[in-house]
Amino acid sequence: MAACSNNNNKAEPESSASASASASSTETAASQLSGTFNISLSNGSSAVWNAVAGAYMKKNPGVKVNVDIKPADNYKEWLTAQFAAGTPDADLVTNNEVANLLADKKFVDYYPYLDQVNPYTNKPWKDSLDLAAMGINLDSVGTEDHLYNLNFESVQIVWMYNKEIFDKIGISEVPKTFGELTADFDKIKAAGYTPLALAGDANSMWSGQAGWLVRIYADQYLRDYINVIRSQEQDYTYLPSVDGIWKYDPTDPFNDANSNVTKNPLRQWKAVQDKSGPYKIAGNPAWTAYADNLKKLFSYTPDGFFGVKDDQAYQMFLTGKAATMVSTPASYWQLPKDFADEAKTGATGGVKAFDYGFFNMPSMEGEGVIAPARTIQIPIGFYGLVSKDAEQNALGMDFMMYLTSPEGYKVYAEAIQNSKDASLSGAPALKDITLPAEMTAAFANFEPIGNTEGYESPSNNLARGINDYQPSVQDWVGSVQRFFAGKLTTEQYLSELQANIDKYLEPMLKQSKKELSDLDTPERRPPERK
């Protein structure tokens, strides 16, 4: 594939006349597109996507773009059912929760298109994408690697707090350590407020805010995982230019970034099978210390926690009943809109606004902690194109090229700025675009502390069941709920989690087109299976 080439040669600059002719020809080509393109994203803003669709159709009058935004609840089930019935009508979808469909190659691979000229910029598409910020290193892409979703937005998980509650109780500084956080929460709870507005239903525990905290805090205790699963010199994943110079340094929050060191997924599952190092759960003091602190943190959540949904938890914060919540920088823009939203607040005319602020993840301390807390700070979007025929796939890519161009993204950003139900969660990983000065300044206030997401690590792949394999996740949700409710001791909880991992390792591997026998030779690339 051209996108996998290491060829960095650049074409000679065009003269102004030839550039003008090129622009004219690409504009004509774009305007000759025809067909129907269906947007069925999860939990997006219909107003925003209709604005983008309208602008795209003006440039391409032969194309009809339909916007049908789906709710986040049961989206995975809806999307899975569409494929079960045949080829879905939907074209642009959110595909981060359908690992089985990704493994079955049901989506268009973006890699071959990145070298194509974007007709809306007249230069290779990849030149407009901040590939480093997107976590893409084309030099390390092999012929068997695929890019089935595009992530050019960003998110950083932070804590949000009600400054008025903090001031009223006498908390003058935001907490920097877990001990300071829980001490503040004790004061808040004694004053009659809920310390942490957090949903506790199955969706939140798995893929939502509760699940974020489960993974983020496990990372503090399990950071040495990288020494177990990093690529060895004989491995099919080994890159001499990267792995040959890497040194373990847990004081560096970016030490195990995918751009700094490659991981061998087979070594990870071999470590799970052998219960090596941090991949051993039951009887591991690090997992015990982590679980004890996690239970303490979740004791500050609302009454009836396991039945609380995201919108209910958010309403508690909006209405001043809860002092903190876990959020993203998008709340900087969204909260003022939501104070006036009767549906979200449950109050006629909305509620009185209050002053709010943000702070980074307070670090757990004590025995077993390897490094300070990091957070989830990643490119997001998970925009996947359902694979159809070549003509439809090309239409989908043309739409994505428009969306990520300065012209298309301006429409998108302005629609978000004017909407009542959407916000940017962070600076986009796109080049040549210009955001409003207020947005740029706001995003600069969120200090990077390192990222835990997207790594082959026990915090991501074992702390909530094994590797998002749904039967395992469901068993874990029931187990952790009993643990938080005091019906299981820490030892019993970790024994159940260990048994869960052991039980589902083989079927999880099979879903990913791997076999237990692959773990006997982790240095070899596993065969491709249908």
Side-chain angles (χ1 to χ4, degrees):
M1 294 183 298
C4 304
S5 169
N6 292 334
N7 184 357
N8 293 318
N9 294 331
K10 302 293 183 182
E12 290 298 315
E14 293 180 301
S15 68
S16 58
S18 62
S20 175
S22 174
S24 175
S25 64
T26 54
E27 192 73 32
T28 300
S31 67
Q32 291 176 346
L33 288 170
S34 63
T36 300
F37 186 70
N38 298 313
I39 299 175
S40 297
L41 297 167
S42 166
N43 203 34
S45 166
S46 294
V48 169
W49 287 101
N50 273 307
V52 176
Y56 181 78
M57 286 188 288
K58 277 188 177 181
K59 297 191 73 67
N60 300 282
V63 179
K64 170 64 174 174
V65 180
N66 299 312
V67 176
D68 181 22
I69 300 300
K70 302 295 183 181
D73 285 350
N74 299 315
Y75 182 83
K76 175 177 70 70
E77 291 77 11
W78 171 82
L79 184 57
T80 301
Q82 299 303 299
F83 280 94
T87 301
D89 290 333
D91 292 294
L92 183 60
V93 299
T94 310
N95 67 358
N96 59 313
E97 294 184 351
V98 285
N100 58 323
L101 297 177
L102 292 168
D104 289 339
K105 302 180 180 180
K106 295 296 187 181
F107 302 98
V108 184
D109 186 357
Y110 283 98
Y111 278 140
Y113 293 87
L114 295 183
D115 269 337
Q116 291 189 6
V117 172
N118 181 340
Y120 305 100
T121 63
N122 296 310
K123 59 183 181 180
W125 190 15
K126 65 183 180 182
D127 290 353
S128 297
L129 307 176
D130 188 343
L131 296 178
M134 294 167 65
I136 297 174
N137 182 356
L138 291 180
D139 290 336
S140 67
V141 174
T143 56
E144 296 182 22
D145 295 317
H146 306 282
L147 183 65
Y148 291 130
N149 52 44
L150 205 62
N151 299 305
F152 53 83
E153 297 165 0
S154 66
V155 66
Q156 179 180 352
I157 307 304
V158 293
W159 288 76
M160 188 174 194
Y161 72 105
N162 183 322
K163 288 186 175 181
E164 295 179 13
I165 292 178
F166 272 50
D167 290 343
K168 181 178 179 180
I169 295 172
I171 303 172
S172 58
E173 294 183 0
V174 296
K176 295 180 175 60
T177 69
F178 186 71
E180 292 173 355
L181 178 71
T182 56
D184 289 344
F185 278 1
D186 287 335
K187 295 176 184 177
I188 292 166
K189 192 171 184 178
Y193 298 98
T194 296
L196 171 58
L198 187 71
D201 64 350
N203 281 338
S204 178
M205 294 301 301
W206 168 45
S207 60
Q209 296 172 359
W212 299 343
L213 294 173
V214 169
R215 291 186 290 133
I216 285 169
Y217 281 114
D219 172 73
Q220 280 201 261
Y221 292 85
L222 309 173
R223 192 78 63 84
D224 57 346
Y225 81 95
I226 189 61
N227 293 321
V228 179
I229 72 161
R230 67 180 181 86
S231 298
Q232 304 295 319
E233 192 167 356
Q234 69 272 26
D235 290 0
Y236 73 97
T237 53
Y238 186 80
L239 291 175
S241 61
V242 175
D243 301 309
I245 61 175
W246 178 85
K247 302 292 183 185
Y248 176 58
D249 181 8
T251 66
D252 175 5
F254 302 97
N255 179 244
D256 57 343
N258 292 332
S259 57
N260 290 333
V261 58
T262 68
K263 293 90 172 174
N264 183 337
L266 294 184
R267 290 199 179 277
Q268 172 176 240
W269 303 127
K270 178 67 172 173
V272 170
Q273 184 183 52
D274 295 345
K275 301 178 177 59
S276 302
Y279 289 90
K280 176 184 178 180
I281 299 171
N284 186 330
W287 278 90
T288 299
Y290 153 68
D292 285 340
N293 271 340
L294 193 71
K295 181 178 180 180
K296 184 174 181 64
L297 176 62
F298 278 74
S299 71
Y300 295 104
T301 53
D303 292 338
F305 171 62
F306 301 122
V308 175
K309 296 186 177 295
D310 281 330
D311 57 349
Q312 295 170 318
Y314 187 44
Q315 185 178 94
M316 292 184 68
F317 185 78
L318 278 177
T319 55
K321 296 174 182 176
T324 71
M325 63 177 286
V326 181
S327 187
T328 73
S331 293
Y332 182 94
W333 315 103
Q334 191 62 40
L335 206 63
K337 303 175 185 178
D338 292 346
F339 283 135
D341 190 319
E342 293 185 358
K344 291 182 178 178
T345 61
T348 302
V351 296
K352 180 180 179 295
F354 55 77
D355 196 12
Y356 54 89
F358 301 86
F359 57 88
N360 266 323
M361 291 288 156
S363 292
M364 291 181 177
E365 297 178 312
E367 187 174 355
V369 172
I370 295 175
R374 301 190 289 189
T375 187
I376 295 172
Q377 184 173 4
I378 56 168
I380 59 168
F382 307 105
Y383 296 114
L385 288 166
V386 175
S387 183
K388 299 181 178 178
D389 58 63
E391 184 177 357
Q392 189 66 16
N393 294 350
L395 175 59
M397 286 298 169
D398 187 86
F399 179 86
M400 295 304 291
M401 289 180 183
Y402 173 74
L403 175 63
T404 55
S405 71
E407 178 185 359
Y409 201 80
K410 181 179 180 182
V411 174
Y412 177 76
E414 289 180 351
I416 286 178
Q417 196 170 30
N418 296 329
S419 78
K420 295 181 179 180
D421 60 353
S423 297
L424 277 184
S425 59
L430 300 173
K431 298 177 181 179
D432 305 326
I433 65 168
T434 302
L435 291 176
E438 186 182 4
M439 283 188 179
T440 302
F443 294 146
N445 289 332
F446 295 94
E447 178 187 0
I449 61 172
N451 169 52
T452 67
E453 179 75 4
Y455 301 161
E456 302 282 358
S457 68
S459 56
N460 285 328
N461 293 339
L462 300 184
R464 301 164 302 140
I466 191 164
N467 201 36
D468 290 332
Y469 183 65
Q470 287 307 295
S472 176
V473 171
Q474 292 165 15
D475 286 1
W476 170 76
V477 169
S479 182
V480 79
Q481 288 179 343
R482 293 194 303 276
F483 173 53
F484 288 161
K487 297 178 181 179
L488 292 178
T489 66
T490 303
E491 181 180 2
Q492 289 169 332
Y493 165 65
L494 294 178
S495 293
E496 284 197 4
L497 179 56
Q498 183 72 72
N500 178 329
I501 301 303
D502 294 344
K503 175 181 178 181
Y504 290 113
L505 173 61
E506 184 172 12
M508 181 281 299
L509 287 172
K510 286 184 178 295
Q511 178 178 276
S512 302
K513 313 301 182 186
K514 296 180 178 65
E515 300 287 345
L516 281 176
S517 59
D518 296 334
L519 309 185
D520 295 335
T521 54
E523 69 279 2
R524 299 179 188 174
R525 185 186 297 274
E528 185 169 344
R529 301 179 176 97
K530 295 183 179 179

